[in-house]
Amino acid sequence: MRFRPPRRLTRPMHALAISALLAVSAGAHAGTASLQQIVHARQEHFHMLGRTAKSLRDQIVRSHPDWTVVSDDAHRLQQLAAQLPSWFPAGSGQGHGVKTRARALIWRDPRAFARAAHALFSRARDLSRAAATHDRRTMLLEFRALGHACGSCHSRFRAHGSWW
Amino acid sequence: MRAAASPAGVRVRVWDLPTRLAHWAIVTLFALCWWSAESGHMRWHLLSGYALLGVVWFRIAWGFCGSETSRFRNFVRGPRATAHYVRKLLRGERDGAAAPLGHNPLGALSILAMLTLLVLQTSFGMFAVDIDGYASGPLSRWVSFHTGRVFAHLHAFNFNLLLVLVALHLSAITYYRVVRKERLVPAMIHGRKDSRSMLPAPYFAPWWQAALLAAGIFACVALVVHLR
């Protein structure tokens, strides 16, 4: 009996097409993986922002805050606020096959997003300056202003979800 | 003071003012908490949450020292009595002359579940931390950011359970209105309902007792909220 090669190998064009398809799908997978890494890193940055804000808040609600911690946290918040725009590279929002609440509006209206990010940075800078005064009342007001800057950005550029 | 026995089919006083006020305060504050959380008005969310915490604990305390129809021991029934009531309900039987005024055994289950979930909800909220670390519960200082986030997720999950319970509660009210022709909502507004019960009229606690209890609970909530 004569050996007959498998049917798929007798059709080189089909094999080529399948190879190309696999290569494209692998590329797409790699793209999604890196996108997931970007989104994960962004979420980690926001967790860091939240952790730092909580640490600062925990101090300033006390009658005798530890001003060293307050100052360090305020400085860290300012640094994170300055970095924030870089956490949103193009194509890392909703509609790119990865779970995120970053609205496409961030990239559709980059000037508005930049203004919102700058407002956050300004509030964080004011908070950092207020930390040097060791005035708890001023810190509470500045912290509230920072919270409003967070909230106004979220209401516009983050997809709706409950506050948690 | 006990009044004379209620004659059959007459309108009798069932719910005292503190119970009715607590009921409608819970409804209003629950709605306010929901709206403020969804719209990001966290200051309102915290304030309405504290108020809800106080009202829930007031209702629980009133269940031990309040008027007769509000006391747990007078309406919470065991599984056998509850099953018996459900069978009666399914057969379409009316409450007899010996049926107690106030909550029926199914309503009692609903109240216990509702109060339990509301206690959990307000307790989780006290320790919850939002993702920005900005709007946090008053006791969140005592937990880490990660633990505070866990409490926030529990707060969210428990809220969904509460929504299911609210839906069940509203369905039961509709069932009683449509099928059994019993108007439970007006009774919870003016405190009276038509009853064929031949039992003596229930005891109603004096108003100053409720005022004293409310003041004590308000002071406790204020203390807990300002715990630093």
Side-chain angles (χ1 to χ4, degrees):
Chain A
M1 197 174 116
R2 197 161 65 102
F3 173 73
R4 193 172 174 184
R7 191 178 166 84
R8 63 178 178 275
L9 292 183
T10 61
R11 295 185 178 176
M13 286 306 285
H14 282 193
L16 205 65
I18 289 167
S19 305
L21 206 66
L22 282 173
V24 168
S25 123
H29 180 72
T32 309
S34 67
L35 188 57
Q36 273 172 346
Q37 284 167 357
I38 289 169
V39 171
H40 180 72
R42 179 160 70 214
Q43 287 168 349
E44 283 302 306
H45 283 129
F46 273 107
H47 282 157
M48 174 65 79
L49 201 67
R51 251 195 303 274
T52 312
K54 181 188 179 301
S55 167
L56 191 145
R57 181 187 176 277
D58 289 350
Q59 289 298 326
I60 59 176
V61 294
R62 294 168 66 174
S63 42
H64 299 290
D66 182 336
W67 288 105
T68 310
V69 175
V70 171
S71 184
D72 287 351
D73 286 340
H75 184 63
R76 183 88 186 107
L77 281 177
Q78 190 185 343
Q79 283 179 331
L80 289 165
Q83 293 167 11
L84 188 138
S86 67
W87 303 342
F88 292 87
S92 65
Q94 286 186 324
H96 290 87
V98 69
K99 195 179 170 189
T100 172
R101 287 169 67 189
R103 278 184 173 155
L105 183 65
I106 293 170
W107 298 275
R108 268 211 316 270
D109 193 353
R111 290 175 71 176
F113 182 67
R115 271 198 304 275
H118 187 258
L120 177 77
F121 174 74
S122 301
R123 297 284 80 79
R125 191 185 50 205
D126 292 347
L127 187 78
S128 195
R129 283 174 184 162
T133 65
H134 291 202
D135 181 4
R136 203 168 71 87
R137 189 175 159 73
T138 310
M139 279 304 283
L140 283 167
L141 289 172
E142 292 296 346
F143 189 74
R144 188 177 292 176
L146 182 82
H148 286 156
C150 289
S152 62
C153 192
H154 290 166
S155 63
R156 191 142 184 232
F157 298 107
R158 188 171 66 172
H160 178 74
S162 298
W163 71 276
W164 41 83
Chain B
M1 190 181 81
R2 283 176 185 272
S6 309
V10 295
R11 180 155 283 208
V12 290
R13 187 179 173 210
V14 179
W15 309 120
D16 61 2
L17 185 65
T19 304
R20 286 178 280 145
L21 280 179
H23 179 273
W24 295 113
I26 287 172
V27 173
T28 310
L29 291 167
F30 182 82
L32 191 57
C33 283
W34 188 3
W35 165 80
S36 53
E38 292 296 327
S39 60
H41 290 83
M42 294 316 298
R43 196 169 164 75
W44 280 104
H45 187 73
L46 289 169
L47 290 173
S48 50
Y50 301 154
L52 187 59
L53 175 78
V55 175
V56 167
W57 278 108
F58 171 83
R59 180 62 189 92
I60 291 170
W62 199 241
F64 291 102
C65 63
S67 302
E68 196 172 321
T69 51
S70 306
R71 292 195 186 199
F72 295 120
R73 70 171 186 195
N74 289 330
F75 63 80
V76 175
R77 296 282 176 270
R80 188 177 292 179
T82 307
H84 177 69
Y85 177 79
V86 172
R87 279 196 296 274
K88 263 178 57 179
L89 200 68
L90 292 175
R91 287 197 298 264
E93 288 177 27
R94 297 269 154 199
D95 289 338
L101 287 165
H103 300 294
N104 62 53
L106 277 184
L109 281 183
S110 168
I111 289 164
L112 289 184
M114 190 72 85
L115 288 176
T116 305
L117 289 187
L118 284 171
V119 165
L120 286 175
Q121 186 67 1
T122 45
S123 306
F124 291 152
M126 297 290 268
F127 294 94
V129 175
D130 80 332
I131 197 143
D132 302 322
Y134 169 66
S136 306
L139 301 185
S140 63
R141 192 172 90 74
W142 303 99
V143 298
S144 68
F145 178 76
H146 175 73
T147 310
R149 293 297 300 142
V150 171
F151 273 110
H153 287 297
L154 290 171
H155 194 58
F157 177 74
N158 194 63
F159 175 71
N160 291 330
L161 294 183
L162 270 166
L163 284 184
V164 171
L165 203 57
V166 168
L168 276 173
H169 188 69
L170 295 176
S171 306
I173 290 169
T174 310
Y175 171 81
Y176 274 83
R177 177 72 186 91
V178 175
V179 179
R180 292 174 68 86
K181 313 291 180 203
E182 287 181 38
R183 294 157 64 89
L184 301 181
V185 177
M188 194 45 83
I189 294 172
H190 48 59
R192 295 170 186 279
K193 70 176 185 181
D194 296 328
S195 172
R196 295 190 301 145
S197 176
M198 292 302 288
L199 295 174
Y203 159 77
F204 289 99
W207 66 268
W208 58 262
Q209 197 170 311
L212 212 62
L213 187 65
I217 286 174
F218 176 81
C220 287
V221 170
L223 197 71
V224 168
V225 165
H226 287 97
L227 209 63
R228 297 283 185 246

